[in-house]
Amino acid sequence: MTAEGTIVRAEFDRQNPPAQPPRGADPLLWRLSYQVWTDHQPAVDQFCQAGACRDAFRPWPCPPRRLAMVGLLAAAGSRAPWASLNRAGHFR
Ligand SMILES: [Zn+2]
């Protein structure tokens, strides 16, 4: 099952989530997750642009980025946001 196939209460574009929480989403969790999502963007060299990730040479997508999407899914009402990740923390 892909992240796109995860059933949520409040639908949103997984490739481009909106800054404002979608109707029905948890506003606090959405805003926190969105902040992490925007901080951890890919740089031109395919590593994360965030300072902490660059210092650790984390390839894209980094753990905070994946966690941010789990948070967005949880804020949007997914009953099992972690189900969209495999054991290595990557989206299935
Ligand atoms: Zn990162």
Side-chain angles (χ1 to χ4, degrees):
M1 187 177 196
T2 64
E4 286 71 25
T6 306
I7 297 171
V8 298
R9 189 175 60 231
E11 278 301 331
F12 63 96
D13 183 355
R14 313 288 163 87
Q15 305 303 317
N16 189 26
Q20 294 301 314
R23 185 182 178 86
D26 179 285
L28 176 60
L29 183 54
W30 182 273
R31 288 177 199 280
L32 289 170
S33 301
Y34 183 79
Q35 185 62 58
V36 176
W37 193 89
T38 52
D39 287 346
H40 294 264
Q41 298 282 343
V44 290
D45 59 5
Q46 296 305 308
F47 285 88
C48 181
Q49 69 173 8
C53 288
R54 296 203 75 79
D55 290 347
F57 299 104
R58 286 195 185 126
W60 182 258
C62 60
R65 170 67 169 227
R66 297 196 296 267
L67 183 63
M69 182 49 69
V70 171
L72 290 170
L73 287 167
S78 168
R79 284 189 289 180
W82 294 103
S84 59
L85 302 179
N86 63 23
R87 298 180 78 177
H90 293 277
F91 283 107
R92 292 177 182 165

